[in-house]
Amino acid sequence: MRSTGAVMCKITMGLLGVMATQVASAAGEESGPYEWDLNVTGRYEQFRTGGIPVWDPAYGYIYTMLHQWKEGANGEWTPWSSMGGQFIAQRPAAALDCKGRMHLFAVAKNAKVYAAWQTVAGSDWKTDWTPMGGGEVFSDGSYTNRNVARTIDAIRDEYKRIQIFVIGEDGEVYSLWQKTPCGEWSAWTKIGLIGGRAKTDLDVLIWPNAETNLFVLGSDAYVWNNHHASGGNWSGWHRAGD
């Protein structure tokens, strides 16, 4: 899992709009925002949606998932390689499970969250993408609505369980989590009510005291926060700084 400092940097970058869609150096290839994490062997792994976009009349431009890695902070990045799948252009989310295996989550063109994961910690990937939660977390809205940057993020909590967070097209935040470390997954659950304000740039982090904090940029241009202490209940949504 990324350090708190790295996650705070990601939050700041996201909220300032720096993580907008980037254009890859190869002609005709586009990419979404990047996600990275550090695996148990010290290897940096980086992911993005990209490649040659394919137009789908129902969903807009669709991309594959791309992956590269390097050994240690001073290593050289490998060339990008495809992990397959059909995804919308947005940042995926990575987290390590209780056995140190990295999991990757992304929203596919059918509005479901899909996952791929390492079969062994620091090793090969299982890339026959698996749907999470058994249902859509977005409404059946038009392509225009789907194209809004509905962000996904994930963490490993203090009990070594992975938890996923997404913004639905109703402007609310939803979560899915492992019931036990490396165990079965819950159903999608709404995290409080934010009045449909959640718009983009969802980020989650765990403070050193094990408090989980959620941040989203609202449609009112304010940053909203929800948090809970270890084993506690969510505080409810409020504007950050109030």
Side-chain angles (χ1 to χ4, degrees), residues 207-225:
W207 296 127
N209 65 358
E211 180 180 276
T212 300
N213 269 265
L214 279 171
F215 297 91
V216 298
L217 182 62
S219 56
D220 54 5
Y222 286 98
V223 176
W224 289 77
N225 171 246

Side-chain angles (χ1 to χ4, degrees), residues 37-57:
D37 213 333
L38 184 66
N39 74 22
V40 294
T41 67
R43 175 186 293 177
Y44 289 82
E45 308 220 23
Q46 187 164 259
F47 311 90
R48 64 176 172 89
T49 54
I52 304 297
V54 176
W55 176 257
D56 186 309

Side-chain angles (χ1 to χ4, degrees), residues 124-205:
D124 295 333
W125 285 81
K126 175 186 178 295
T127 54
D128 50 340
W129 291 88
T130 301
M132 302 296 297
E136 296 187 3
V137 289
F138 298 99
S139 67
D140 291 324
S142 66
Y143 158 65
T144 301
N145 288 333
R146 290 183 186 277
N147 198 36
V148 176
R150 299 306 197 194
T151 316
I152 183 172
D153 207 356
I155 58 166
R156 185 176 71 177
D157 67 18
E158 69 273 25
Y159 303 110
K160 297 186 177 181
R161 301 172 304 189
I162 296 177
Q163 187 165 7
I164 312 166
F165 300 89
V166 298
I167 298 177
E169 285 190 348
D170 58 359
E172 300 294 339
V173 177
Y174 294 82
S175 183
L176 188 74
W177 61 90
Q178 292 176 323
K179 297 178 181 179
T180 58
C182 294
E184 295 182 353
W185 291 86
S186 70
W188 286 106
T189 301
K190 190 176 294 186
I191 304 296
L193 288 172
I194 195 172
R197 296 185 183 92
K199 184 178 180 182
T200 61
D201 297 303
L202 181 151
D203 285 286
V204 57
L205 62 89

